[in-house]
Amino acid sequence: MIDIDIVQFKKDPDKYIQQILLGGEMFAVQTERGKVVMMEEAEYNVMRQALVALISSDGIVLRDKETPPE
């Protein structure tokens, strides 16, 4: 993951988006409120599945936004 600041991102957002889509890069963009992580959806899904597996091994259950509580 590559750390950049919001000013750097705003100078050439297309450059970073291309690097995400074509090169598979991940960026952590520092804003005034914190960091925003940008990545391809496929990478996000893999990371989320790994996190869900890790958490569920501790007995914690995560639900998708679309799944209503039981």
Side-chain angles (χ1 to χ4, degrees):
M1 187 172 315
I2 301 168
D3 289 319
I4 60 174
D5 63 39
I6 191 69
V7 174
Q8 187 179 358
F9 177 77
K10 285 181 177 180
K11 287 181 183 176
D12 193 1
D14 290 338
K15 168 186 162 184
Y16 297 105
I17 293 168
Q18 282 182 337
Q19 288 181 19
I20 291 168
L21 296 176
L22 300 176
E25 295 290 352
M26 288 187 269
F27 292 96
V29 182
Q30 183 65 50
T31 67
E32 291 178 10
R33 295 184 180 177
K35 286 187 179 180
V36 175
V37 176
M38 299 185 331
M39 68 184 78
E40 284 185 279
E41 184 177 10
E43 291 172 331
Y44 164 79
N45 289 334
V46 168
M47 292 177 78
R48 187 179 190 289
Q49 288 173 354
L51 181 59
V52 167
L54 179 65
I55 289 173
S56 63
S57 70
D58 286 338
I60 300 170
V61 177
L62 294 179
R63 290 186 295 270
D64 290 327
K65 291 182 222 177
E66 295 81 27
T67 306
E70 296 177 3

Short mmCIF file of all heavy atoms in Angstrom, two decimals:
data_model
loop_
_atom_site.label_atom_id
_atom_site.label_comp_id
_atom_site.label_asym_id
_atom_site.label_seq_id
_atom_site.Cartn_x
_atom_site.Cartn_y
_atom_site.Cartn_z
N MET A 1 0.85 -1.16 0.00
CA MET A 1 0.00 0.00 0.00
C MET A 1 0.90 1.23 0.00
O MET A 1 1.87 1.29 0.74
CB MET A 1 -0.91 -0.02 1.22
CG MET A 1 -1.93 1.08 1.16
SD MET A 1 -3.21 1.01 2.44
CE MET A 1 -3.69 -0.68 2.45
N ILE A 2 0.52 2.18 -0.82
CA ILE A 2 1.32 3.40 -0.97
C ILE A 2 0.59 4.55 -0.29
O ILE A 2 -0.58 4.81 -0.57
CB ILE A 2 1.54 3.71 -2.46
CG1 ILE A 2 2.26 2.54 -3.14
CG2 ILE A 2 2.31 5.02 -2.63
CD1 ILE A 2 2.29 2.62 -4.65
N ASP A 3 1.28 5.24 0.62
CA ASP A 3 0.71 6.40 1.31
C ASP A 3 0.93 7.65 0.49
O ASP A 3 2.06 7.92 0.05
CB ASP A 3 1.36 6.58 2.68
CG ASP A 3 0.94 5.51 3.67
OD1 ASP A 3 -0.25 5.16 3.68
OD2 ASP A 3 1.80 5.04 4.44
N ILE A 4 -0.15 8.41 0.26
CA ILE A 4 -0.05 9.72 -0.38
C ILE A 4 -0.96 10.68 0.36
O ILE A 4 -1.84 10.26 1.11
CB ILE A 4 -0.45 9.66 -1.89
CG1 ILE A 4 -1.89 9.17 -2.07
CG2 ILE A 4 0.52 8.80 -2.67
CD1 ILE A 4 -2.38 9.23 -3.51
N ASP A 5 -0.75 11.98 0.17
CA ASP A 5 -1.65 12.94 0.80
C ASP A 5 -2.68 13.42 -0.22
O ASP A 5 -2.53 13.23 -1.42
CB ASP A 5 -0.90 14.10 1.45
CG ASP A 5 -0.12 14.94 0.46
OD1 ASP A 5 -0.63 15.19 -0.65
OD2 ASP A 5 0.99 15.37 0.80
N ILE A 6 -3.72 14.05 0.28
CA ILE A 6 -4.84 14.46 -0.57
C ILE A 6 -4.41 15.48 -1.62
O ILE A 6 -4.92 15.48 -2.74
CB ILE A 6 -6.03 14.96 0.29
CG1 ILE A 6 -7.30 15.13 -0.55
CG2 ILE A 6 -5.68 16.27 0.98
CD1 ILE A 6 -7.89 13.84 -1.03
N VAL A 7 -3.47 16.34 -1.28
CA VAL A 7 -2.98 17.34 -2.24
C VAL A 7 -2.32 16.64 -3.42
O VAL A 7 -2.57 16.97 -4.58
CB VAL A 7 -2.00 18.33 -1.55
CG1 VAL A 7 -1.38 19.28 -2.56
CG2 VAL A 7 -2.71 19.09 -0.45
N GLN A 8 -1.50 15.65 -3.13
CA GLN A 8 -0.82 14.88 -4.17
C GLN A 8 -1.86 14.16 -5.04
O GLN A 8 -1.75 14.16 -6.27
CB GLN A 8 0.11 13.87 -3.49
CG GLN A 8 1.01 13.10 -4.39
CD GLN A 8 1.90 12.16 -3.59
OE1 GLN A 8 1.85 12.11 -2.36
NE2 GLN A 8 2.72 11.41 -4.29
N PHE A 9 -2.88 13.57 -4.42
CA PHE A 9 -3.92 12.87 -5.17
C PHE A 9 -4.69 13.82 -6.08
O PHE A 9 -4.97 13.51 -7.23
CB PHE A 9 -4.88 12.16 -4.21
CG PHE A 9 -6.02 11.48 -4.91
CD1 PHE A 9 -5.83 10.28 -5.57
CD2 PHE A 9 -7.29 12.05 -4.92
CE1 PHE A 9 -6.88 9.65 -6.23
CE2 PHE A 9 -8.33 11.43 -5.58
CZ PHE A 9 -8.13 10.23 -6.23
N LYS A 10 -5.03 15.00 -5.56
CA LYS A 10 -5.82 15.96 -6.33
C LYS A 10 -5.08 16.50 -7.55
O LYS A 10 -5.71 16.91 -8.52
CB LYS A 10 -6.25 17.13 -5.44
CG LYS A 10 -7.37 16.79 -4.49
CD LYS A 10 -7.76 18.01 -3.66
CE LYS A 10 -8.91 17.72 -2.74
NZ LYS A 10 -9.28 18.91 -1.96
N LYS A 11 -3.75 16.49 -7.52
CA LYS A 11 -2.97 16.97 -8.66
C LYS A 11 -3.19 16.12 -9.90
O LYS A 11 -3.19 16.62 -11.01
CB LYS A 11 -1.48 17.02 -8.32
CG LYS A 11 -1.10 18.14 -7.39
CD LYS A 11 0.39 18.13 -7.12
CE LYS A 11 0.75 19.21 -6.12
NZ LYS A 11 2.18 19.15 -5.78
N ASP A 12 -3.36 14.80 -9.73
CA ASP A 12 -3.52 13.91 -10.88
C ASP A 12 -4.28 12.64 -10.47
O ASP A 12 -3.70 11.55 -10.43
CB ASP A 12 -2.15 13.55 -11.46
CG ASP A 12 -2.24 12.90 -12.82
OD1 ASP A 12 -3.37 12.73 -13.34
OD2 ASP A 12 -1.19 12.55 -13.38
N PRO A 13 -5.58 12.77 -10.17
CA PRO A 13 -6.33 11.59 -9.72
C PRO A 13 -6.37 10.47 -10.76
O PRO A 13 -6.35 9.29 -10.40
CB PRO A 13 -7.73 12.13 -9.43
CG PRO A 13 -7.81 13.44 -10.12
CD PRO A 13 -6.41 13.95 -10.23
N ASP A 14 -6.40 10.82 -12.05
CA ASP A 14 -6.43 9.79 -13.09
C ASP A 14 -5.21 8.88 -13.03
O ASP A 14 -5.30 7.68 -13.27
CB ASP A 14 -6.54 10.41 -14.48
CG ASP A 14 -7.90 11.05 -14.72
OD1 ASP A 14 -8.87 10.68 -14.03
OD2 ASP A 14 -8.00 11.92 -15.60
N LYS A 15 -4.07 9.45 -12.69
CA LYS A 15 -2.83 8.67 -12.57
C LYS A 15 -2.98 7.57 -11.52
O LYS A 15 -2.64 6.42 -11.76
CB LYS A 15 -1.68 9.61 -12.19
CG LYS A 15 -0.41 8.93 -11.77
CD LYS A 15 0.59 9.97 -11.28
CE LYS A 15 1.68 9.34 -10.46
NZ LYS A 15 2.60 10.33 -9.90
N TYR A 16 -3.55 7.93 -10.37
CA TYR A 16 -3.70 6.97 -9.29
C TYR A 16 -4.78 5.94 -9.60
O TYR A 16 -4.63 4.76 -9.29
CB TYR A 16 -3.97 7.69 -7.97
CG TYR A 16 -2.82 8.58 -7.59
CD1 TYR A 16 -2.88 9.96 -7.73
CD2 TYR A 16 -1.63 8.02 -7.15
CE1 TYR A 16 -1.80 10.76 -7.42
CE2 TYR A 16 -0.53 8.81 -6.84
CZ TYR A 16 -0.63 10.18 -6.97
OH TYR A 16 0.45 10.97 -6.68
N ILE A 17 -5.86 6.37 -10.23
CA ILE A 17 -6.93 5.45 -10.60
C ILE A 17 -6.42 4.44 -11.62
O ILE A 17 -6.72 3.24 -11.52
CB ILE A 17 -8.16 6.22 -11.12
CG1 ILE A 17 -8.77 7.00 -9.95
CG2 ILE A 17 -9.18 5.28 -11.74
CD1 ILE A 17 -9.81 8.02 -10.34
N GLN A 18 -5.63 4.88 -12.58
CA GLN A 18 -5.04 3.96 -13.55
C GLN A 18 -4.14 2.95 -12.86
O GLN A 18 -4.14 1.76 -13.20
CB GLN A 18 -4.24 4.72 -14.61
CG GLN A 18 -5.10 5.36 -15.66
CD GLN A 18 -4.26 6.06 -16.72
OE1 GLN A 18 -3.12 6.44 -16.48
NE2 GLN A 18 -4.85 6.23 -17.89
N GLN A 19 -3.34 3.42 -11.91
CA GLN A 19 -2.44 2.51 -11.20
C GLN A 19 -3.23 1.48 -10.39
O GLN A 19 -2.79 0.34 -10.24
CB GLN A 19 -1.49 3.29 -10.29
CG GLN A 19 -0.44 4.05 -11.07
CD GLN A 19 0.50 4.80 -10.15
OE1 GLN A 19 0.63 4.51 -8.97
NE2 GLN A 19 1.19 5.79 -10.70
N ILE A 20 -4.38 1.86 -9.89
CA ILE A 20 -5.24 0.92 -9.15
C ILE A 20 -5.82 -0.10 -10.11
O ILE A 20 -5.75 -1.31 -9.87
CB ILE A 20 -6.37 1.67 -8.42
CG1 ILE A 20 -5.79 2.51 -7.28
CG2 ILE A 20 -7.41 0.68 -7.88
CD1 ILE A 20 -6.77 3.49 -6.68
N LEU A 21 -6.39 0.38 -11.21
CA LEU A 21 -7.10 -0.51 -12.14
C LEU A 21 -6.16 -1.36 -12.98
O LEU A 21 -6.43 -2.53 -13.24
CB LEU A 21 -8.02 0.30 -13.04
CG LEU A 21 -9.15 1.03 -12.32
CD1 LEU A 21 -9.95 1.87 -13.30
CD2 LEU A 21 -10.05 0.05 -11.58
N LEU A 22 -5.06 -0.78 -13.43
CA LEU A 22 -4.16 -1.51 -14.33
C LEU A 22 -3.03 -2.22 -13.60
O LEU A 22 -2.59 -3.29 -14.01
CB LEU A 22 -3.57 -0.56 -15.38
CG LEU A 22 -4.59 0.14 -16.29
CD1 LEU A 22 -3.90 1.12 -17.23
CD2 LEU A 22 -5.41 -0.88 -17.07
N GLY A 23 -2.56 -1.62 -12.52
CA GLY A 23 -1.40 -2.18 -11.83
C GLY A 23 -1.71 -2.89 -10.54
O GLY A 23 -0.83 -3.47 -9.91
N GLY A 24 -2.97 -2.79 -10.09
CA GLY A 24 -3.33 -3.46 -8.84
C GLY A 24 -2.79 -2.78 -7.60
O GLY A 24 -2.76 -3.38 -6.53
N GLU A 25 -2.37 -1.53 -7.73
CA GLU A 25 -1.84 -0.80 -6.57
C GLU A 25 -2.95 -0.47 -5.60
O GLU A 25 -4.13 -0.40 -5.96
CB GLU A 25 -1.17 0.51 -7.02
CG GLU A 25 0.05 0.33 -7.88
CD GLU A 25 1.25 -0.22 -7.13
OE1 GLU A 25 1.22 -0.33 -5.89
OE2 GLU A 25 2.24 -0.53 -7.80
N MET A 26 -2.59 -0.25 -4.33
CA MET A 26 -3.51 0.22 -3.31
C MET A 26 -2.92 1.51 -2.74
O MET A 26 -1.71 1.59 -2.51
CB MET A 26 -3.67 -0.80 -2.19
CG MET A 26 -4.46 -2.00 -2.58
SD MET A 26 -4.78 -3.07 -1.17
CE MET A 26 -3.37 -4.14 -1.26
N PHE A 27 -3.78 2.49 -2.53
CA PHE A 27 -3.33 3.76 -2.00
C PHE A 27 -4.07 4.11 -0.72
O PHE A 27 -5.28 3.90 -0.62
CB PHE A 27 -3.56 4.88 -3.02
CG PHE A 27 -2.68 4.78 -4.23
CD1 PHE A 27 -3.14 4.17 -5.38
CD2 PHE A 27 -1.39 5.27 -4.21
CE1 PHE A 27 -2.34 4.05 -6.50
CE2 PHE A 27 -0.57 5.15 -5.32
CZ PHE A 27 -1.05 4.54 -6.47
N ALA A 28 -3.34 4.63 0.24
CA ALA A 28 -3.93 5.19 1.46
C ALA A 28 -3.76 6.70 1.34
O ALA A 28 -2.66 7.23 1.39
CB ALA A 28 -3.22 4.68 2.69
N VAL A 29 -4.88 7.40 1.13
CA VAL A 29 -4.84 8.85 0.92
C VAL A 29 -5.14 9.53 2.24
O VAL A 29 -6.20 9.35 2.83
CB VAL A 29 -5.88 9.27 -0.15
CG1 VAL A 29 -5.80 10.78 -0.39
CG2 VAL A 29 -5.67 8.51 -1.45
N GLN A 30 -4.18 10.33 2.71
CA GLN A 30 -4.33 11.04 3.97
C GLN A 30 -5.19 12.28 3.75
O GLN A 30 -4.89 13.11 2.92
CB GLN A 30 -2.97 11.46 4.52
CG GLN A 30 -3.03 12.15 5.87
CD GLN A 30 -3.53 11.23 6.97
OE1 GLN A 30 -3.06 10.12 7.12
NE2 GLN A 30 -4.50 11.70 7.74
N THR A 31 -6.31 12.37 4.50
CA THR A 31 -7.18 13.54 4.44
C THR A 31 -7.14 14.23 5.80
O THR A 31 -6.45 13.76 6.71
CB THR A 31 -8.63 13.14 4.11
OG1 THR A 31 -9.16 12.39 5.20
CG2 THR A 31 -8.69 12.31 2.83
N GLU A 32 -7.90 15.29 5.94
CA GLU A 32 -7.95 15.99 7.23
C GLU A 32 -8.55 15.12 8.32
O GLU A 32 -8.21 15.25 9.48
CB GLU A 32 -8.76 17.28 7.10
CG GLU A 32 -8.09 18.33 6.25
CD GLU A 32 -8.95 19.58 6.09
OE1 GLU A 32 -9.98 19.70 6.78
OE2 GLU A 32 -8.58 20.42 5.27
N ARG A 33 -9.45 14.21 7.95
CA ARG A 33 -10.15 13.38 8.93
C ARG A 33 -9.50 12.02 9.16
O ARG A 33 -9.90 11.28 10.03
CB ARG A 33 -11.58 13.16 8.49
CG ARG A 33 -12.38 14.42 8.48
CD ARG A 33 -13.79 14.13 8.13
NE ARG A 33 -14.57 15.35 8.10
CZ ARG A 33 -15.82 15.40 7.77
NH1 ARG A 33 -16.46 14.30 7.42
NH2 ARG A 33 -16.47 16.55 7.77
N GLY A 34 -8.57 11.63 8.33
CA GLY A 34 -7.94 10.33 8.45
C GLY A 34 -7.54 9.81 7.08
O GLY A 34 -7.44 10.57 6.13
N LYS A 35 -7.33 8.52 6.99
CA LYS A 35 -6.91 7.91 5.72
C LYS A 35 -8.09 7.25 5.02
O LYS A 35 -8.94 6.65 5.66
CB LYS A 35 -5.82 6.88 5.93
CG LYS A 35 -4.49 7.48 6.24
CD LYS A 35 -3.40 6.44 6.27
CE LYS A 35 -2.07 7.10 6.56
NZ LYS A 35 -0.98 6.13 6.60
N VAL A 36 -8.09 7.36 3.70
CA VAL A 36 -9.06 6.68 2.85
C VAL A 36 -8.25 5.69 2.01
O VAL A 36 -7.28 6.08 1.35
CB VAL A 36 -9.79 7.67 1.92
CG1 VAL A 36 -10.70 6.92 0.97
CG2 VAL A 36 -10.57 8.68 2.74
N VAL A 37 -8.63 4.41 2.04
CA VAL A 37 -7.91 3.40 1.29
C VAL A 37 -8.65 3.15 -0.03
O VAL A 37 -9.86 2.96 -0.04
CB VAL A 37 -7.78 2.09 2.09
CG1 VAL A 37 -7.11 1.01 1.26
CG2 VAL A 37 -7.00 2.35 3.37
N MET A 38 -7.90 3.18 -1.11
CA MET A 38 -8.47 2.95 -2.44
C MET A 38 -7.84 1.70 -3.03
O MET A 38 -6.62 1.55 -3.01
CB MET A 38 -8.21 4.14 -3.35
CG MET A 38 -8.83 5.41 -2.86
SD MET A 38 -8.68 6.85 -3.94
CE MET A 38 -7.20 6.59 -4.84
N MET A 39 -8.73 0.80 -3.53
CA MET A 39 -8.26 -0.44 -4.14
C MET A 39 -9.34 -0.97 -5.07
O MET A 39 -10.47 -0.50 -5.03
CB MET A 39 -7.93 -1.47 -3.06
CG MET A 39 -9.14 -1.98 -2.31
SD MET A 39 -8.77 -3.10 -0.96
CE MET A 39 -8.24 -1.95 0.29
N GLU A 40 -8.99 -1.98 -5.86
CA GLU A 40 -9.98 -2.62 -6.72
C GLU A 40 -10.99 -3.37 -5.86
O GLU A 40 -10.66 -3.86 -4.77
CB GLU A 40 -9.31 -3.62 -7.65
CG GLU A 40 -8.58 -3.00 -8.81
CD GLU A 40 -8.06 -4.07 -9.76
OE1 GLU A 40 -7.01 -4.65 -9.46
OE2 GLU A 40 -8.74 -4.30 -10.77
N GLU A 41 -12.20 -3.52 -6.38
CA GLU A 41 -13.24 -4.22 -5.64
C GLU A 41 -12.85 -5.67 -5.36
O GLU A 41 -13.12 -6.18 -4.27
CB GLU A 41 -14.56 -4.18 -6.42
CG GLU A 41 -15.70 -4.81 -5.64
CD GLU A 41 -17.02 -4.72 -6.38
OE1 GLU A 41 -17.05 -4.35 -7.56
OE2 GLU A 41 -18.04 -5.04 -5.75
N ALA A 42 -12.20 -6.32 -6.30
CA ALA A 42 -11.80 -7.72 -6.10
C ALA A 42 -10.84 -7.84 -4.91
O ALA A 42 -10.95 -8.76 -4.10
CB ALA A 42 -11.15 -8.27 -7.36
N GLU A 43 -9.90 -6.91 -4.79
CA GLU A 43 -8.97 -6.92 -3.66
C GLU A 43 -9.71 -6.66 -2.36
O GLU A 43 -9.44 -7.29 -1.33
CB GLU A 43 -7.88 -5.88 -3.85
CG GLU A 43 -6.92 -6.21 -4.97
CD GLU A 43 -5.97 -5.07 -5.26
OE1 GLU A 43 -6.34 -3.90 -5.05
OE2 GLU A 43 -4.85 -5.36 -5.71
N TYR A 44 -10.67 -5.74 -2.41
CA TYR A 44 -11.48 -5.45 -1.22
C TYR A 44 -12.21 -6.71 -0.77
O TYR A 44 -12.23 -7.03 0.42
CB TYR A 44 -12.48 -4.33 -1.52
CG TYR A 44 -13.58 -4.23 -0.49
CD1 TYR A 44 -13.34 -3.61 0.73
CD2 TYR A 44 -14.83 -4.78 -0.71
CE1 TYR A 44 -14.33 -3.54 1.70
CE2 TYR A 44 -15.82 -4.72 0.25
CZ TYR A 44 -15.57 -4.09 1.45
OH TYR A 44 -16.55 -4.04 2.40
N ASN A 45 -12.82 -7.42 -1.72
CA ASN A 45 -13.58 -8.62 -1.37
C ASN A 45 -12.68 -9.68 -0.74
O ASN A 45 -13.08 -10.34 0.23
CB ASN A 45 -14.30 -9.18 -2.60
CG ASN A 45 -15.46 -8.29 -3.02
OD1 ASN A 45 -16.03 -7.58 -2.20
ND2 ASN A 45 -15.80 -8.32 -4.29
N VAL A 46 -11.48 -9.86 -1.26
CA VAL A 46 -10.54 -10.83 -0.70
C VAL A 46 -10.15 -10.42 0.72
O VAL A 46 -10.15 -11.25 1.64
CB VAL A 46 -9.28 -10.97 -1.59
CG1 VAL A 46 -8.18 -11.75 -0.88
CG2 VAL A 46 -9.65 -11.63 -2.91
N MET A 47 -9.85 -9.14 0.91
CA MET A 47 -9.46 -8.67 2.24
C MET A 47 -10.62 -8.80 3.23
O MET A 47 -10.44 -9.18 4.38
CB MET A 47 -8.97 -7.23 2.17
CG MET A 47 -7.65 -7.09 1.42
SD MET A 47 -7.11 -5.40 1.27
CE MET A 47 -6.46 -5.12 2.89
N ARG A 48 -11.84 -8.51 2.77
CA ARG A 48 -13.01 -8.62 3.65
C ARG A 48 -13.26 -10.07 4.04
O ARG A 48 -13.54 -10.37 5.20
CB ARG A 48 -14.24 -8.04 2.98
CG ARG A 48 -15.43 -7.99 3.93
CD ARG A 48 -16.66 -7.38 3.27
NE ARG A 48 -17.71 -7.11 4.23
CZ ARG A 48 -18.44 -8.03 4.86
NH1 ARG A 48 -18.23 -9.31 4.63
NH2 ARG A 48 -19.38 -7.69 5.70
N GLN A 49 -13.13 -10.98 3.07
CA GLN A 49 -13.33 -12.41 3.38
C GLN A 49 -12.31 -12.90 4.40
O GLN A 49 -12.64 -13.66 5.31
CB GLN A 49 -13.27 -13.24 2.10
CG GLN A 49 -14.46 -13.07 1.20
CD GLN A 49 -14.29 -13.79 -0.13
OE1 GLN A 49 -13.22 -14.32 -0.43
NE2 GLN A 49 -15.34 -13.80 -0.93
N ALA A 50 -11.08 -12.45 4.25
CA ALA A 50 -10.04 -12.85 5.20
C ALA A 50 -10.34 -12.29 6.58
O ALA A 50 -10.18 -12.99 7.59
CB ALA A 50 -8.67 -12.36 4.71
N LEU A 51 -10.80 -11.05 6.64
CA LEU A 51 -11.14 -10.44 7.92
C LEU A 51 -12.33 -11.15 8.56
O LEU A 51 -12.32 -11.44 9.77
CB LEU A 51 -11.45 -8.95 7.74
CG LEU A 51 -11.79 -8.17 8.99
CD1 LEU A 51 -10.64 -8.22 10.00
CD2 LEU A 51 -12.12 -6.74 8.64
N VAL A 52 -13.33 -11.47 7.77
CA VAL A 52 -14.50 -12.18 8.29
C VAL A 52 -14.08 -13.54 8.84
O VAL A 52 -14.50 -13.94 9.92
CB VAL A 52 -15.58 -12.34 7.19
CG1 VAL A 52 -16.65 -13.34 7.61
CG2 VAL A 52 -16.21 -10.99 6.88
N ALA A 53 -13.22 -14.25 8.12
CA ALA A 53 -12.75 -15.56 8.59
C ALA A 53 -11.98 -15.43 9.90
O ALA A 53 -12.16 -16.22 10.82
CB ALA A 53 -11.88 -16.22 7.52
N LEU A 54 -11.15 -14.41 9.98
CA LEU A 54 -10.36 -14.19 11.19
C LEU A 54 -11.26 -13.86 12.37
O LEU A 54 -11.13 -14.42 13.46
CB LEU A 54 -9.36 -13.06 10.96
CG LEU A 54 -8.48 -12.68 12.14
CD1 LEU A 54 -7.55 -13.84 12.49
CD2 LEU A 54 -7.67 -11.44 11.80
N ILE A 55 -12.19 -12.96 12.16
CA ILE A 55 -13.08 -12.54 13.24
C ILE A 55 -14.01 -13.68 13.65
O ILE A 55 -14.24 -13.91 14.83
CB ILE A 55 -13.89 -11.29 12.82
CG1 ILE A 55 -12.95 -10.08 12.75
CG2 ILE A 55 -15.02 -11.02 13.78
CD1 ILE A 55 -13.58 -8.84 12.19
N SER A 56 -14.55 -14.40 12.67
CA SER A 56 -15.49 -15.47 13.00
C SER A 56 -14.80 -16.61 13.76
O SER A 56 -15.45 -17.33 14.51
CB SER A 56 -16.20 -16.00 11.75
OG SER A 56 -15.29 -16.57 10.87
N SER A 57 -13.50 -16.75 13.59
CA SER A 57 -12.79 -17.77 14.36
C SER A 57 -12.76 -17.41 15.84
O SER A 57 -12.56 -18.26 16.69
CB SER A 57 -11.36 -17.96 13.83
OG SER A 57 -10.56 -16.82 14.11
N ASP A 58 -13.00 -16.11 16.14
CA ASP A 58 -13.09 -15.66 17.53
C ASP A 58 -14.54 -15.61 18.02
O ASP A 58 -14.81 -15.10 19.09
CB ASP A 58 -12.47 -14.27 17.69
CG ASP A 58 -10.95 -14.31 17.63
OD1 ASP A 58 -10.39 -15.38 17.89
OD2 ASP A 58 -10.35 -13.27 17.33
N GLY A 59 -15.49 -16.10 17.18
CA GLY A 59 -16.89 -16.13 17.58
C GLY A 59 -17.66 -14.86 17.28
O GLY A 59 -18.81 -14.72 17.70
N ILE A 60 -17.07 -13.91 16.57
CA ILE A 60 -17.75 -12.67 16.21
C ILE A 60 -18.36 -12.86 14.82
O ILE A 60 -17.73 -13.39 13.93
CB ILE A 60 -16.77 -11.48 16.20
CG1 ILE A 60 -16.15 -11.31 17.59
CG2 ILE A 60 -17.46 -10.20 15.75
CD1 ILE A 60 -15.00 -10.34 17.63
N VAL A 61 -19.60 -12.39 14.64
CA VAL A 61 -20.29 -12.56 13.36
C VAL A 61 -20.47 -11.20 12.70
O VAL A 61 -20.96 -10.27 13.33
CB VAL A 61 -21.67 -13.23 13.55
CG1 VAL A 61 -22.41 -13.34 12.22
CG2 VAL A 61 -21.50 -14.60 14.20
N LEU A 62 -20.06 -11.08 11.43
CA LEU A 62 -20.30 -9.88 10.64
C LEU A 62 -21.38 -10.18 9.63
O LEU A 62 -21.42 -11.24 9.05
CB LEU A 62 -19.03 -9.44 9.90
CG LEU A 62 -17.86 -8.96 10.73
CD1 LEU A 62 -16.70 -8.60 9.82
CD2 LEU A 62 -18.25 -7.76 11.56
N ARG A 63 -22.26 -9.22 9.39
CA ARG A 63 -23.29 -9.38 8.38
C ARG A 63 -23.07 -8.36 7.27
O ARG A 63 -22.56 -7.27 7.51
CB ARG A 63 -24.68 -9.14 8.98
CG ARG A 63 -25.12 -10.23 9.92
CD ARG A 63 -26.55 -10.01 10.34
NE ARG A 63 -26.72 -8.80 11.12
CZ ARG A 63 -26.63 -8.73 12.44
NH1 ARG A 63 -26.36 -9.82 13.13
NH2 ARG A 63 -26.80 -7.61 13.07
N ASP A 64 -23.51 -8.72 6.06
CA ASP A 64 -23.54 -7.77 4.96
C ASP A 64 -24.62 -6.73 5.25
O ASP A 64 -25.57 -7.00 5.96
CB ASP A 64 -23.84 -8.47 3.62
CG ASP A 64 -22.70 -9.34 3.17
OD1 ASP A 64 -21.54 -8.98 3.44
OD2 ASP A 64 -22.95 -10.38 2.54
N LYS A 65 -24.49 -5.55 4.63
CA LYS A 65 -25.48 -4.51 4.81
C LYS A 65 -26.87 -4.98 4.38
O LYS A 65 -27.87 -4.58 4.94
CB LYS A 65 -25.11 -3.27 4.00
CG LYS A 65 -23.90 -2.54 4.50
CD LYS A 65 -23.67 -1.33 3.66
CE LYS A 65 -22.22 -1.15 3.37
NZ LYS A 65 -21.92 -0.04 2.51
N GLU A 66 -26.92 -5.83 3.35
CA GLU A 66 -28.19 -6.29 2.81
C GLU A 66 -28.86 -7.36 3.66
O GLU A 66 -30.02 -7.64 3.52
CB GLU A 66 -28.01 -6.83 1.39
CG GLU A 66 -27.57 -5.81 0.36
CD GLU A 66 -26.06 -5.55 0.39
OE1 GLU A 66 -25.32 -6.46 0.80
OE2 GLU A 66 -25.65 -4.45 0.02
N THR A 67 -28.10 -8.00 4.53
CA THR A 67 -28.63 -9.10 5.34
C THR A 67 -29.30 -8.52 6.58
O THR A 67 -28.63 -7.92 7.42
CB THR A 67 -27.52 -10.07 5.76
OG1 THR A 67 -26.83 -10.51 4.60
CG2 THR A 67 -28.09 -11.24 6.53
N PRO A 68 -30.63 -8.70 6.71
CA PRO A 68 -31.30 -8.16 7.91
C PRO A 68 -30.92 -8.98 9.15
O PRO A 68 -30.63 -10.16 9.05
CB PRO A 68 -32.78 -8.34 7.58
CG PRO A 68 -32.84 -9.39 6.56
CD PRO A 68 -31.53 -9.36 5.81
N PRO A 69 -30.89 -8.34 10.30
CA PRO A 69 -30.60 -9.08 11.54
C PRO A 69 -31.67 -10.11 11.81
O PRO A 69 -32.82 -9.93 11.46
CB PRO A 69 -30.56 -8.00 12.61
CG PRO A 69 -31.11 -6.77 12.00
CD PRO A 69 -31.14 -6.95 10.52
N GLU A 70 -31.29 -11.20 12.45
CA GLU A 70 -32.23 -12.27 12.76
C GLU A 70 -33.07 -11.94 13.97
O GLU A 70 -32.71 -11.25 14.83
CB GLU A 70 -31.47 -13.58 12.97
CG GLU A 70 -30.77 -14.02 11.72
CD GLU A 70 -29.94 -15.28 11.96
OE1 GLU A 70 -29.96 -15.84 13.09
OE2 GLU A 70 -29.30 -15.72 11.02
#
